[in-house]
Amino acid sequence: GPLDLSGAKAPANIAAAQATALATARVIADINTVQYPEGVQSPRPELNEGAKDGKFRYDRDFLLQFMSICKEKPAMLPPLEAIGLESADQAGHHHMSRTSSGR
Amino acid sequence: QEVDMEAQADGIRTVFNDPSNFNVKHPLFSPWTLWFDSPATKGRNMPQTPVSAFPQTPIPQTPGVQAAQGWMEDIKRVISFDSVEEFWGLYNNIIPPSQLPQKANYYLFKEGIIPAWEDEANKHGGKWSIQLPKDKNRGNVDKMWMYTMLAAIGETFDPSPTLGDGSAAASLITGVIVSTRPQFYRISIWTRLAPSGSDEDAALRERIEGVGRHFKTSVLGYPESARLAGPLATEVEFLSHKDSEKKGKAKKIIV
């Protein structure tokens, strides 16, 4: 059958474009005027009655809609191995290579 | 003027309209900083990288922060973010709690607040927390932590965060923590204030209990009436940081 690519990473060109878009995108000024494409739900309106200065609140169902779209690794993310932020398996692997580098 | 507004609305492209060429992002109620520590981070210095590639936000040197310096020594600042889009970019590129090494902690706090009792924003506060046995919750903890973070950054823990002067400081929540231990996980919600138990604090107590109920039912998904304490497990319980310091018997609020 056809390959299931639903879990595959976004192609590199989309990822790069996403990083650029994120860097240049401006902040939404009035959340209540944003029109989302069909099938995308807006934040629950009662959360942002009288909201101003970009101080918006978002319900979980609204936030979850971004999960599968926003996958670009943050440009400012430090090397995770260097701060020990890695799973136990990865840590064992890196530890082997680190000891051989003389640290 | 109506025409202007329409034209403006037409020019707005969210990440849903165009994932690679959007021109607006969703600001968060407050900017947040993720911190991390584990036994492997102890004594480890940040790697030497060009400053431009890896800028560090200096930690504000208030008296509270200075007092917490020992505690903060091994806690590494990972990154700050202030939009929904950036949060998910981070989330999708780090590991969930179930994969963390033992004795590790993620601390997600509002920018400018360090994850320590001594911080000005925390010192009069307390925390809601739950302890969950590891063997029974390996499959739940990642979702529970994700939902906890979403309630924090979406600012839905506290139903009335803009009461008062309308500033971010009016929100009760300062940060959320997940901890992995050999036998259990713990998830905590830190609050800016803690009720004293006196009558004047009745309104604050009610507001704090609202945070606890939201945490228990909407975030963790338990029925309000569920009793959760057991071997290695606690109820959803609130303790002020002052009472935590005392050790021994302290008044807890349970929802």
Side-chain angles (χ1 to χ4, degrees):
Chain A
L3 284 173
D4 176 18
L5 295 174
S6 55
K9 281 191 172 176
N13 57 334
I14 293 195
Q18 203 171 74
T20 308
L22 198 53
T24 55
R26 58 184 198 276
V27 158
I28 290 170
D30 183 355
I31 195 72
N32 297 310
T33 62
V34 178
Q35 301 279 323
Y36 294 97
E38 209 175 323
V40 177
Q41 69 178 72
S42 303
R44 288 207 323 261
E46 70 270 23
L47 291 175
N48 295 306
E49 276 169 17
K52 53 180 183 186
D53 304 330
K55 294 225 160 281
F56 305 138
R57 301 165 66 207
Y58 306 108
D59 55 285
R60 182 168 77 207
D61 289 338
F62 175 76
L63 292 172
L64 284 169
Q65 298 175 112
F66 294 77
M67 180 163 47
S68 61
I69 301 174
C70 300
K71 299 198 156 180
E72 177 58 14
K73 186 175 180 168
M76 299 304 179
L77 196 64
L80 297 180
E81 179 260 333
I83 54 172
L85 209 178
E86 53 190 345
S87 68
D89 294 350
Q90 293 168 324
H93 180 75
H94 287 303
H95 186 67
M96 301 278 283
S97 48
R98 207 164 31 239
T99 36
S100 62
S101 75
R103 278 187 56 175
Chain B
Q1 201 188 346
E2 256 178 45
V3 176
D4 280 348
M5 280 181 66
E6 235 170 59
Q8 201 187 355
D10 282 344
I12 287 179
R13 291 189 309 276
T14 68
V15 75
F16 299 109
N17 300 101
D18 191 341
S20 56
N21 192 28
F22 55 96
N23 64 5
V24 292
K25 55 184 175 183
H26 292 75
L28 296 172
F29 193 93
S30 302
W32 293 80
T33 301
L34 182 70
W35 307 74
F36 173 76
D37 75 345
S38 84
T41 66
K42 289 212 188 312
R44 204 188 274 199
N45 288 320
M46 286 301 210
Q48 305 260 325
T49 47
V51 173
S52 59
F54 188 27
Q56 290 263 338
T57 303
I59 296 171
Q61 289 300 311
T62 64
V65 170
Q66 271 160 24
Q69 227 142 42
W71 164 251
M72 289 301 293
E73 210 163 289
D74 294 315
I75 301 182
K76 306 298 183 198
R77 181 184 168 279
V78 180
I79 200 166
S80 296
F81 56 89
D82 59 10
S83 70
V84 177
E85 289 82 354
E86 289 164 288
F87 166 78
W88 285 112
L90 172 63
Y91 180 87
N92 282 320
N93 285 281
I94 55 172
I95 56 175
S98 67
Q99 291 177 34
L100 284 176
Q102 285 183 11
K103 300 184 195 168
N105 306 282
Y106 274 132
Y107 311 82
L108 181 64
F109 273 70
K110 286 183 177 164
E111 194 173 67
I113 302 176
I114 62 165
W117 293 344
E118 292 87 345
D119 193 284
E120 296 298 311
N122 292 321
K123 68 179 189 185
H124 302 296
K127 64 174 187 289
W128 282 107
S129 60
I130 184 169
Q131 187 176 303
L132 302 150
K134 213 167 187 174
D135 51 356
K136 289 183 197 156
N137 289 284
R138 248 177 255 275
N140 302 333
V141 69
D142 293 344
K143 198 180 196 183
M144 286 174 164
W145 172 238
M146 180 175 70
Y147 285 4
T148 300
M149 288 193 290
L150 294 181
I153 66 168
E155 201 67 62
T156 53
F157 268 123
D158 181 11
S160 51
T162 47
L163 284 183
D165 61 359
S167 73
S171 164
L172 273 180
I173 309 301
T174 61
V176 293
I177 303 175
V178 65
S179 308
T180 64
R181 296 295 180 267
Q183 303 288 326
F184 59 83
Y185 300 109
R186 190 188 304 112
I187 300 179
S188 306
I189 321 299
W190 282 32
T191 60
R192 206 174 283 274
L193 299 169
S196 66
S198 72
D199 286 351
E200 302 120 64
D201 269 6
L204 175 61
R205 186 184 164 104
E206 202 164 298
R207 203 171 152 199
I208 291 278
E209 285 181 358
V211 173
R213 271 193 300 274
H214 184 79
F215 181 41
K216 179 175 181 176
T217 60
S218 303
V219 175
L220 300 174
Y222 294 112
E224 191 169 343
S225 59
R227 295 277 62 104
L228 306 169
L232 297 167
T234 66
E235 300 291 346
V236 175
E237 53 192 35
F238 183 88
L239 197 57
S240 73
H241 296 318
K242 285 202 181 76
D243 284 343
S244 297
E245 268 177 300
K246 281 183 208 152
K247 316 246 157 119
K249 270 183 281 176
K251 304 180 302 287
K252 284 177 180 161
I253 305 174
I254 289 172
V255 289

